[in-house]
Amino acid sequence: MFITFEGIEGAGKTSILDRLCPALSDEGISFVRTLEPGGSELGRSLRALLLDKRYALTKEAELFLYLADRSQHVREVIRPALERGDMVISDRYIDSTLCYQGHGREMNVERLIRLCGFSAGDLWPDLTIIFDLDPEISLERARRRNLEAGTTVTRGRFEAERLDFHRRIRRGYLALATQYPQRCRTVDASRPFDDVYNQVTAVLEGHGISLD
Ligand code: TYD
């Protein structure tokens, strides 16, 4: 089973994964936790380029770096794990491209769906959990996280972007949830951490993954 976690920056998906993964291990579930960009060795170099604000990447260059990262990630990490019978949980995947490059950078979403399918060898997730939150709250969380890590706003290209941009991304995710109701589940990420965690475990339970 291939599960992806999605949402705008600071929505809390990474912290939830930090709590969820040990719980999955305790249940004896074999899984691989991975992320985009940066899930493969090549991807880690691409990630450094993508998140470095020194480069004024064109939106097309940015898109193709994300797609290159994904292609390598699917081929080297995700498919082999699924073929071994492991569950795969990825922190971001195709929907990030559809929402950030599509809705955020205003590139044609239908074309992006085709390009994403091409770069990912048509591997779509079985389940996508979307962390939904007002960008005003999430950007404040992201800023705090960066300050605590001593990395300032230059760490992420997008965290310095306008609120409007993130509002479009949020709307993109909500549109995806409507467009793909079979695979997408939305959780209310404005709730306290334990509550968000419980929403996520309830979704997993609905997909046959119980954590007690
Ligand atoms: P990251 O630090 O991993 O952010 P987060 O912790 O919020 O996941 O940075 C990943 C950034 O890359 C994030 O701003 C979203 C962006 N992104 C895209 O724009 N397109 C994509 O296809 C992917 C995978 C990520």
Side-chain angles (χ1 to χ4, degrees), residues 7-10 13-14 35-37 47 51 62 66 69-70 91-94 96-98 100-101 145 155 158-159:
I8 55 177
E9 265 98 312
K13 53 193 172 46
T14 309
L35 84 169
E36 286 194 0
R47 180 184 173 88
L51 300 183
E62 179 185 84
Y66 281 117
D69 171 68
R70 180 156 313 124
D91 189 343
R92 298 195 180 282
Y93 190 63
I94 287 179
S96 285
T97 310
L98 303 183
Y100 280 77
Q101 280 62 55
R145 177 188 67 189
R155 174 185 164 274
F158 294 114
E159 284 167 15

mmCIF file of all heavy atoms in Angstrom, residues 7-10 13-14 35-37 47 51 62 66 69-70 91-94 96-98 100-101 145 155 158-159, ligand 1:
data_model
loop_
_atom_site.group_PDB
_atom_site.id
_atom_site.type_symbol
_atom_site.label_atom_id
_atom_site.label_comp_id
_atom_site.label_asym_id
_atom_site.label_seq_id
_atom_site.Cartn_x
_atom_site.Cartn_y
_atom_site.Cartn_z
ATOM 1 N N GLY A 7 -0.024 18.644 2.092
ATOM 2 C CA GLY A 7 -0.567 19.863 2.708
ATOM 3 C C GLY A 7 0.409 21.005 2.566
ATOM 4 O O GLY A 7 1.545 20.813 2.125
ATOM 5 N N ILE A 8 -0.053 22.194 2.951
ATOM 6 C CA ILE A 8 0.836 23.354 2.871
ATOM 7 C C ILE A 8 1.882 23.277 3.979
ATOM 8 O O ILE A 8 1.734 22.496 4.926
ATOM 9 C CB ILE A 8 0.034 24.680 2.966
ATOM 10 C CG1 ILE A 8 -0.838 24.705 4.228
ATOM 11 C CG2 ILE A 8 -0.827 24.875 1.727
ATOM 12 C CD1 ILE A 8 -1.592 25.999 4.407
ATOM 13 N N GLU A 9 2.921 24.081 3.851
ATOM 14 C CA GLU A 9 3.994 24.115 4.865
ATOM 15 C C GLU A 9 3.436 24.394 6.255
ATOM 16 O O GLU A 9 2.531 25.200 6.396
ATOM 17 C CB GLU A 9 4.963 25.271 4.589
ATOM 18 C CG GLU A 9 6.150 24.882 3.799
ATOM 19 C CD GLU A 9 5.959 25.224 2.335
ATOM 20 O OE1 GLU A 9 4.913 24.900 1.754
ATOM 21 O OE2 GLU A 9 6.879 25.835 1.803
ATOM 22 N N GLY A 10 4.014 23.730 7.248
ATOM 23 C CA GLY A 10 3.620 24.006 8.629
ATOM 24 C C GLY A 10 2.290 23.383 9.008
ATOM 25 O O GLY A 10 1.740 23.679 10.065
ATOM 26 N N LYS A 13 2.390 17.681 8.985
ATOM 27 C CA LYS A 13 2.457 16.284 8.532
ATOM 28 C C LYS A 13 3.737 15.591 8.989
ATOM 29 O O LYS A 13 3.699 14.415 9.343
ATOM 30 C CB LYS A 13 2.244 16.153 7.028
ATOM 31 C CG LYS A 13 3.115 16.998 6.208
ATOM 32 C CD LYS A 13 2.662 17.079 4.763
ATOM 33 C CE LYS A 13 3.511 18.113 4.078
ATOM 34 N NZ LYS A 13 4.945 18.042 4.339
ATOM 35 N N THR A 14 4.843 16.336 9.020
ATOM 36 C CA THR A 14 6.109 15.697 9.398
ATOM 37 C C THR A 14 6.089 15.295 10.887
ATOM 38 O O THR A 14 6.525 14.188 11.238
ATOM 39 C CB THR A 14 7.290 16.629 9.070
ATOM 40 O OG1 THR A 14 7.142 17.043 7.696
ATOM 41 C CG2 THR A 14 8.631 15.938 9.224
ATOM 42 N N LEU A 35 10.360 10.777 1.548
ATOM 43 C CA LEU A 35 9.879 12.153 1.368
ATOM 44 C C LEU A 35 10.266 12.674 -0.014
ATOM 45 O O LEU A 35 11.137 12.117 -0.691
ATOM 46 C CB LEU A 35 10.465 13.072 2.452
ATOM 47 C CG LEU A 35 11.861 13.664 2.239
ATOM 48 C CD1 LEU A 35 12.132 14.735 3.263
ATOM 49 C CD2 LEU A 35 12.949 12.612 2.292
ATOM 50 N N GLU A 36 9.599 13.742 -0.402
ATOM 51 C CA GLU A 36 9.966 14.467 -1.632
ATOM 52 C C GLU A 36 10.004 15.963 -1.333
ATOM 53 O O GLU A 36 9.145 16.442 -0.584
ATOM 54 C CB GLU A 36 8.935 14.218 -2.732
ATOM 55 C CG GLU A 36 9.043 12.845 -3.314
ATOM 56 C CD GLU A 36 8.275 12.701 -4.623
ATOM 57 O OE1 GLU A 36 7.660 13.676 -5.083
ATOM 58 O OE2 GLU A 36 8.302 11.609 -5.180
ATOM 59 N N PRO A 37 10.911 16.704 -1.923
ATOM 60 C CA PRO A 37 12.030 16.185 -2.700
ATOM 61 C C PRO A 37 13.089 15.596 -1.763
ATOM 62 O O PRO A 37 13.160 15.976 -0.597
ATOM 63 C CB PRO A 37 12.555 17.440 -3.415
ATOM 64 C CG PRO A 37 12.187 18.577 -2.501
ATOM 65 C CD PRO A 37 10.897 18.184 -1.847
ATOM 66 N N ARG A 47 17.186 18.260 -3.983
ATOM 67 C CA ARG A 47 16.496 18.985 -2.907
ATOM 68 C C ARG A 47 17.272 20.237 -2.493
ATOM 69 O O ARG A 47 16.707 21.304 -2.306
ATOM 70 C CB ARG A 47 16.299 18.061 -1.710
ATOM 71 C CG ARG A 47 15.595 18.728 -0.545
ATOM 72 C CD ARG A 47 15.494 17.813 0.674
ATOM 73 N NE ARG A 47 14.971 18.573 1.789
ATOM 74 C CZ ARG A 47 13.666 18.719 2.058
ATOM 75 N NH1 ARG A 47 12.786 18.105 1.316
ATOM 76 N NH2 ARG A 47 13.270 19.452 3.063
ATOM 77 N N LEU A 51 15.633 23.963 -2.775
ATOM 78 C CA LEU A 51 15.288 24.775 -1.602
ATOM 79 C C LEU A 51 16.257 25.940 -1.388
ATOM 80 O O LEU A 51 16.099 26.717 -0.465
ATOM 81 C CB LEU A 51 15.195 23.895 -0.352
ATOM 82 C CG LEU A 51 14.140 22.768 -0.414
ATOM 83 C CD1 LEU A 51 14.077 22.010 0.904
ATOM 84 C CD2 LEU A 51 12.753 23.293 -0.766
ATOM 85 N N GLU A 62 12.126 24.600 -12.172
ATOM 86 C CA GLU A 62 11.719 24.076 -10.867
ATOM 87 C C GLU A 62 10.872 22.808 -11.050
ATOM 88 O O GLU A 62 11.135 21.768 -10.420
ATOM 89 C CB GLU A 62 10.902 25.158 -10.152
ATOM 90 C CG GLU A 62 10.381 24.752 -8.801
ATOM 91 C CD GLU A 62 9.482 25.836 -8.239
ATOM 92 O OE1 GLU A 62 8.277 25.868 -8.578
ATOM 93 O OE2 GLU A 62 9.981 26.656 -7.450
ATOM 94 N N TYR A 66 11.661 18.862 -9.755
ATOM 95 C CA TYR A 66 10.766 18.034 -8.933
ATOM 96 C C TYR A 66 10.432 16.728 -9.650
ATOM 97 O O TYR A 66 10.368 15.663 -9.025
ATOM 98 C CB TYR A 66 9.466 18.790 -8.593
ATOM 99 C CG TYR A 66 9.632 19.791 -7.465
ATOM 100 C CD1 TYR A 66 9.447 21.153 -7.671
ATOM 101 C CD2 TYR A 66 9.966 19.369 -6.174
ATOM 102 C CE1 TYR A 66 9.598 22.069 -6.637
ATOM 103 C CE2 TYR A 66 10.125 20.279 -5.133
ATOM 104 C CZ TYR A 66 9.943 21.618 -5.371
ATOM 105 O OH TYR A 66 10.104 22.521 -4.343
ATOM 106 N N ASP A 69 13.415 14.383 -9.532
ATOM 107 C CA ASP A 69 13.483 13.823 -8.179
ATOM 108 C C ASP A 69 12.492 12.668 -8.050
ATOM 109 O O ASP A 69 12.811 11.592 -7.540
ATOM 110 C CB ASP A 69 13.155 14.927 -7.168
ATOM 111 C CG ASP A 69 12.988 14.395 -5.760
ATOM 112 O OD1 ASP A 69 13.997 13.945 -5.188
ATOM 113 O OD2 ASP A 69 11.858 14.402 -5.234
ATOM 114 N N ARG A 70 11.272 12.888 -8.567
ATOM 115 C CA ARG A 70 10.219 11.861 -8.415
ATOM 116 C C ARG A 70 10.548 10.617 -9.207
ATOM 117 O O ARG A 70 10.352 9.492 -8.725
ATOM 118 C CB ARG A 70 8.872 12.446 -8.855
ATOM 119 C CG ARG A 70 7.734 11.436 -8.730
ATOM 120 C CD ARG A 70 6.397 12.121 -8.582
ATOM 121 N NE ARG A 70 6.497 13.164 -7.599
ATOM 122 C CZ ARG A 70 6.180 14.438 -7.840
ATOM 123 N NH1 ARG A 70 5.714 14.816 -9.019
ATOM 124 N NH2 ARG A 70 6.322 15.347 -6.892
ATOM 125 N N ASP A 91 6.187 11.618 2.527
ATOM 126 C CA ASP A 91 5.879 12.988 2.922
ATOM 127 C C ASP A 91 5.986 13.815 1.633
ATOM 128 O O ASP A 91 7.090 14.149 1.218
ATOM 129 C CB ASP A 91 6.931 13.403 3.975
ATOM 130 C CG ASP A 91 6.630 14.727 4.649
ATOM 131 O OD1 ASP A 91 5.809 15.490 4.126
ATOM 132 O OD2 ASP A 91 7.254 14.992 5.700
ATOM 133 N N ARG A 92 4.870 14.039 0.971
ATOM 134 C CA ARG A 92 4.716 14.713 -0.332
ATOM 135 C C ARG A 92 4.973 13.756 -1.498
ATOM 136 O O ARG A 92 5.822 12.880 -1.439
ATOM 137 C CB ARG A 92 5.640 15.925 -0.503
ATOM 138 C CG ARG A 92 5.389 17.030 0.510
ATOM 139 C CD ARG A 92 6.066 18.322 0.079
ATOM 140 N NE ARG A 92 5.830 19.396 1.034
ATOM 141 C CZ ARG A 92 4.693 20.089 1.114
ATOM 142 N NH1 ARG A 92 3.716 19.829 0.279
ATOM 143 N NH2 ARG A 92 4.532 21.033 2.012
ATOM 144 N N TYR A 93 4.242 14.048 -2.578
ATOM 145 C CA TYR A 93 4.373 13.270 -3.827
ATOM 146 C C TYR A 93 3.682 14.083 -4.928
ATOM 147 O O TYR A 93 3.692 15.327 -4.855
ATOM 148 C CB TYR A 93 3.756 11.868 -3.596
ATOM 149 C CG TYR A 93 4.010 10.855 -4.700
ATOM 150 C CD1 TYR A 93 5.286 10.428 -5.015
ATOM 151 C CD2 TYR A 93 2.939 10.326 -5.424
ATOM 152 C CE1 TYR A 93 5.498 9.486 -6.031
ATOM 153 C CE2 TYR A 93 3.147 9.381 -6.426
ATOM 154 C CZ TYR A 93 4.428 8.978 -6.723
ATOM 155 O OH TYR A 93 4.631 8.043 -7.719
ATOM 156 N N ILE A 94 3.077 13.396 -5.897
ATOM 157 C CA ILE A 94 2.515 14.074 -7.077
ATOM 158 C C ILE A 94 1.596 15.253 -6.733
ATOM 159 O O ILE A 94 1.631 16.291 -7.407
ATOM 160 C CB ILE A 94 1.734 13.047 -7.945
ATOM 161 C CG1 ILE A 94 2.736 12.116 -8.656
ATOM 162 C CG2 ILE A 94 0.827 13.742 -8.949
ATOM 163 C CD1 ILE A 94 2.082 11.043 -9.515
ATOM 164 N N SER A 96 1.746 17.386 -4.513
ATOM 165 C CA SER A 96 2.489 18.626 -4.240
ATOM 166 C C SER A 96 2.771 19.359 -5.543
ATOM 167 O O SER A 96 2.703 20.589 -5.600
ATOM 168 C CB SER A 96 3.814 18.335 -3.522
ATOM 169 O OG SER A 96 3.584 18.006 -2.174
ATOM 170 N N THR A 97 3.116 18.616 -6.592
ATOM 171 C CA THR A 97 3.372 19.265 -7.882
ATOM 172 C C THR A 97 2.082 19.882 -8.424
ATOM 173 O O THR A 97 2.083 21.019 -8.917
ATOM 174 C CB THR A 97 3.917 18.254 -8.912
ATOM 175 O OG1 THR A 97 4.990 17.541 -8.321
ATOM 176 C CG2 THR A 97 4.389 18.944 -10.175
ATOM 177 N N LEU A 98 0.982 19.130 -8.320
ATOM 178 C CA LEU A 98 -0.285 19.660 -8.845
ATOM 179 C C LEU A 98 -0.688 20.930 -8.093
ATOM 180 O O LEU A 98 -1.186 21.880 -8.698
ATOM 181 C CB LEU A 98 -1.394 18.604 -8.742
ATOM 182 C CG LEU A 98 -1.105 17.278 -9.459
ATOM 183 C CD1 LEU A 98 -2.298 16.329 -9.344
ATOM 184 C CD2 LEU A 98 -0.748 17.500 -10.936
ATOM 185 N N TYR A 100 1.439 22.974 -5.839
ATOM 186 C CA TYR A 100 2.431 24.066 -5.791
ATOM 187 C C TYR A 100 2.716 24.621 -7.193
ATOM 188 O O TYR A 100 2.661 25.822 -7.410
ATOM 189 C CB TYR A 100 3.738 23.598 -5.142
ATOM 190 C CG TYR A 100 3.675 23.585 -3.632
ATOM 191 C CD1 TYR A 100 3.014 22.567 -2.959
ATOM 192 C CD2 TYR A 100 4.259 24.594 -2.878
ATOM 193 C CE1 TYR A 100 2.940 22.558 -1.570
ATOM 194 C CE2 TYR A 100 4.199 24.589 -1.488
ATOM 195 C CZ TYR A 100 3.539 23.562 -0.842
ATOM 196 O OH TYR A 100 3.466 23.563 0.531
ATOM 197 N N GLN A 101 3.042 23.713 -8.140
ATOM 198 C CA GLN A 101 3.351 24.206 -9.480
ATOM 199 C C GLN A 101 2.060 24.540 -10.233
ATOM 200 O O GLN A 101 2.008 25.511 -10.987
ATOM 201 C CB GLN A 101 4.187 23.171 -10.259
ATOM 202 C CG GLN A 101 5.675 23.169 -9.919
ATOM 203 C CD GLN A 101 5.966 22.814 -8.468
ATOM 204 O OE1 GLN A 101 5.537 21.769 -7.973
ATOM 205 N NE2 GLN A 101 6.674 23.686 -7.768
ATOM 206 N N ARG A 145 9.330 27.255 13.351
ATOM 207 C CA ARG A 145 10.178 26.070 13.200
ATOM 208 C C ARG A 145 11.542 26.472 12.636
ATOM 209 O O ARG A 145 12.580 26.041 13.112
ATOM 210 C CB ARG A 145 9.472 25.082 12.255
ATOM 211 C CG ARG A 145 10.250 23.842 11.929
ATOM 212 C CD ARG A 145 9.559 23.024 10.845
ATOM 213 N NE ARG A 145 9.554 23.725 9.561
ATOM 214 C CZ ARG A 145 8.881 23.323 8.490
ATOM 215 N NH1 ARG A 145 8.129 22.257 8.546
ATOM 216 N NH2 ARG A 145 8.956 23.988 7.355
ATOM 217 N N ARG A 155 15.614 29.306 4.335
ATOM 218 C CA ARG A 155 15.645 27.851 4.226
ATOM 219 C C ARG A 155 14.730 27.346 3.098
ATOM 220 O O ARG A 155 15.101 26.520 2.307
ATOM 221 C CB ARG A 155 15.211 27.221 5.548
ATOM 222 C CG ARG A 155 15.076 25.722 5.471
ATOM 223 C CD ARG A 155 14.531 25.181 6.783
ATOM 224 N NE ARG A 155 14.047 23.835 6.612
ATOM 225 C CZ ARG A 155 12.841 23.539 6.211
ATOM 226 N NH1 ARG A 155 11.985 24.508 5.935
ATOM 227 N NH2 ARG A 155 12.480 22.292 6.076
ATOM 228 N N PHE A 158 9.523 28.511 -0.633
ATOM 229 C CA PHE A 158 8.104 28.827 -0.606
ATOM 230 C C PHE A 158 7.670 29.501 0.677
ATOM 231 O O PHE A 158 6.677 30.195 0.706
ATOM 232 C CB PHE A 158 7.285 27.562 -0.806
ATOM 233 C CG PHE A 158 7.478 26.990 -2.170
ATOM 234 C CD1 PHE A 158 8.090 25.766 -2.342
ATOM 235 C CD2 PHE A 158 7.051 27.689 -3.287
ATOM 236 C CE1 PHE A 158 8.265 25.249 -3.606
ATOM 237 C CE2 PHE A 158 7.229 27.172 -4.560
ATOM 238 C CZ PHE A 158 7.839 25.952 -4.723
ATOM 239 N N GLU A 159 8.413 29.243 1.766
ATOM 240 C CA GLU A 159 7.974 29.804 3.031
ATOM 241 C C GLU A 159 8.061 31.319 2.998
ATOM 242 O O GLU A 159 7.431 32.000 3.786
ATOM 243 C CB GLU A 159 8.774 29.195 4.190
ATOM 244 C CG GLU A 159 8.273 27.773 4.479
ATOM 245 C CD GLU A 159 9.177 26.983 5.385
ATOM 246 O OE1 GLU A 159 10.044 27.579 6.029
ATOM 247 O OE2 GLU A 159 9.002 25.750 5.431
HETATM 248 P P1 TYD B 1 10.105 20.717 2.745
HETATM 249 O O1 TYD B 1 11.126 21.385 3.590
HETATM 250 O O2 TYD B 1 10.182 19.234 2.632
HETATM 251 O O3 TYD B 1 8.674 21.195 3.197
HETATM 252 P P2 TYD B 1 7.621 20.494 4.082
HETATM 253 O O4 TYD B 1 8.296 20.189 5.396
HETATM 254 O O5 TYD B 1 6.523 21.488 4.177
HETATM 255 O O6 TYD B 1 7.207 19.246 3.321
HETATM 256 O O7 TYD B 1 10.177 21.388 1.320
HETATM 257 C C1 TYD B 1 9.538 20.887 0.269
HETATM 258 C C2 TYD B 1 9.036 22.066 -0.540
HETATM 259 O O8 TYD B 1 8.922 21.676 -1.898
HETATM 260 C C3 TYD B 1 7.662 22.507 -0.093
HETATM 261 O O9 TYD B 1 7.634 23.913 -0.090
HETATM 262 C C4 TYD B 1 6.758 22.027 -1.188
HETATM 263 C C5 TYD B 1 7.641 22.010 -2.386
HETATM 264 N N1 TYD B 1 7.270 21.039 -3.449
HETATM 265 C C6 TYD B 1 6.804 21.500 -4.673
HETATM 266 O O10 TYD B 1 6.672 22.704 -4.897
HETATM 267 N N2 TYD B 1 6.520 20.602 -5.657
HETATM 268 C C7 TYD B 1 6.672 19.265 -5.482
HETATM 269 O O11 TYD B 1 6.389 18.478 -6.409
HETATM 270 C C8 TYD B 1 7.157 18.802 -4.210
HETATM 271 C C9 TYD B 1 7.355 17.325 -3.976
HETATM 272 C C10 TYD B 1 7.445 19.719 -3.221
#
